Amino acid sequence: MKIQALAIILLLTILLNITAAAAQDTACQTGFRLIEHQLGAACVPDEVQRVVTLEHSMTEAVVTLGFQPVGVADLELYNTLVNLPIPLSQDAVDVGSRREPNLEVIATLKPDLIIAASWRVTETYDDLSAIAPTLTFEGSSDLETLTDYFTTIALVLNREEVALQRLEEMNQHFVAAAALIADSGLNPAFVLSQTWYEENIATFRLFTGNAMPVEILTNIGLENTWTAEPNPDGFTVVGIEALAEIEDTNFFFITDPDSASFYEESPLWNSLSFVQAGTAYRLNDDLWLFGGPISAQRFVDAVLKALSLIEDESPESGTDQG
């Protein structure tokens, strides 16, 4: 039912975006259309040619829609974290960090559109808008928000049909994964964590019910058992002692290669009930949990592979999403 509801939300969102844009075209000069976004509204060219993206999720959205940005914030980090079957163009220019993009470099690229995360550019929005029309979005905080910004970007880039296809592929991926889990008879309980180990201290970021990766896993039939009070960050930060309270669950965790020895050698980690039960699963280090449709599918595949429900990348034969 959640997946069907998401599909309905998707279609309604696209229709509303198109209707709103058409209704407000008269506020812009010929050849431009008014697009509402989180920090206001901008007159965007009907035929966008040069895009600068200032957030990983926005860069992924543009690339997924078959469009190559001319400038990307934190380009090297994007290439490390976001692993798509569609690579960034080698001509893309690094425009500085996501927190402090280099306005001079952006200006030299002569973009006709800038796309950013609203919460990162509240202080620089006016400066960015002076360079080119700037659209801002919250990012991938949940599937509905992902659908909203993805379809809006598709509208602006004239890639609506591509967006429909990509989102439908994601939804069908969820359906196929849910069928595998339902047929497996496995315990559906899970806790999802990003972890790191430094200065002899293990830290765990446990995701709460309002985080998009948790929403993805519940969409495929799993049940989140970390019931801490949700906060805007979507996770709770705890030490290893808090994990002693977690029992009878699948513990999915993402960590960095430098921390690997901790999980092999720590007596405290290896005494945890889910570790002893063999239900602690280290997922790919390169998973991007807050991206677009393809990243969502990669995340689902990593979980299915950890649970030995698939051998390769996809629950659907003949499908390869990277």
Side-chain angles (χ1 to χ4, degrees):
M1 292 297 293
K2 285 185 178 180
I3 295 171
Q4 292 176 344
L6 182 61
I8 293 171
I9 290 170
L10 159 64
L11 294 173
L12 289 175
T13 301
I14 291 175
L15 290 173
L16 287 172
N17 281 339
I18 294 172
T19 302
Q24 300 187 55
D25 274 352
T26 54
C28 300
Q29 67 185 55
T30 303
F32 289 77
R33 48 187 163 171
L34 190 67
I35 303 295
E36 294 186 355
H37 59 97
Q38 198 155 18
L39 294 182
C43 289
V44 177
D46 290 339
E47 298 292 335
V48 173
Q49 301 294 327
R50 300 177 63 80
V51 179
V52 168
T53 53
L54 302 182
E55 184 63 33
H56 293 334
S57 55
M58 309 309 159
T59 304
E60 178 180 347
V62 169
V63 172
T64 299
L65 291 166
F67 201 102
Q68 285 291 339
V70 297
V72 174
D74 280 327
L75 187 150
E76 183 177 352
L77 185 60
Y78 172 86
N79 283 327
T80 300
L81 292 177
V82 185
N83 291 273
L84 301 185
I86 313 167
L88 270 177
S89 168
Q90 294 184 351
D91 295 330
V93 175
D94 193 313
V95 297
S97 73
R98 292 169 294 164
R99 292 187 181 277
E100 296 182 358
N102 188 316
L103 300 178
E104 291 183 2
V105 173
I106 293 173
T108 63
L109 294 174
K110 298 181 179 178
D112 48 23
L113 178 65
I114 299 169
I115 307 177
S118 55
W119 50 278
R120 288 198 192 274
V121 298
T122 51
E123 295 183 1
T124 58
Y125 174 71
D126 289 341
D127 294 328
L128 291 167
S129 297
I131 298 172
T134 300
L135 302 180
T136 65
F137 304 98
E138 180 180 339
S140 296
S141 56
D142 55 59
L143 287 170
E144 183 177 352
T145 304
L146 160 62
T147 299
D148 183 45
Y149 80 72
F150 191 69
T151 53
T152 301
I153 293 173
L155 171 69
V156 170
L157 299 180
N158 298 311
R159 298 289 201 279
E160 295 97 323
E161 290 186 6
V162 179
L164 277 171
Q165 179 182 347
R166 291 299 188 187
L167 289 165
E168 178 61 19
E169 287 171 355
M170 180 184 73
N171 289 331
Q172 289 304 316
H173 212 74
F174 292 169
V175 170
L180 284 178
I181 289 171
D183 291 342
S184 71
L186 289 171
N187 176 12
F190 79 91
V191 172
L192 175 65
S193 175
Q194 283 183 320
T195 79
W196 60 96
Y197 182 74
E198 57 185 5
E199 298 181 356
N200 297 319
I201 298 175
T203 305
F204 299 81
R205 178 183 288 177
L206 305 184
F207 288 97
T208 50
N210 60 324
M212 190 174 82
V214 170
E215 185 182 0
I216 290 171
L217 295 187
T218 57
N219 262 280
I220 64 172
L222 298 177
E223 299 173 6
N224 185 27
T225 57
W226 182 250
T227 56
E229 188 70 25
N231 62 53
D233 293 328
F235 56 80
T236 311
V237 177
V238 301
I240 194 169
E241 297 80 7
L243 304 188
E245 304 172 5
I246 301 174
E247 298 180 348
D248 193 28
T249 196
N250 298 294
F251 190 88
F252 303 116
F253 66 101
I254 300 167
T255 189
D256 61 280
D258 293 338
S259 300
S261 60
F262 166 77
Y263 304 99
E264 299 169 0
E265 301 168 3
S266 167
L268 189 54
W269 167 259
N270 286 288
S271 70
L272 295 170
S273 63
F274 52 82
V275 177
Q276 293 191 344
T279 57
Y281 303 101
R282 180 179 173 183
L283 304 180
N284 315 37
D285 298 336
D286 63 355
L287 288 175
W288 177 237
L289 300 180
F290 300 97
I294 296 179
S295 284
Q297 290 171 249
R298 288 192 70 241
F299 175 47
V300 167
D301 286 350
V303 170
L304 294 177
K305 188 173 182 180
L307 295 173
S308 299
L309 295 180
I310 60 172
E311 294 182 0
D312 250 326
E313 292 294 328
S314 172
E316 298 178 43
S317 60
T319 301
D320 182 4
Q321 296 294 344

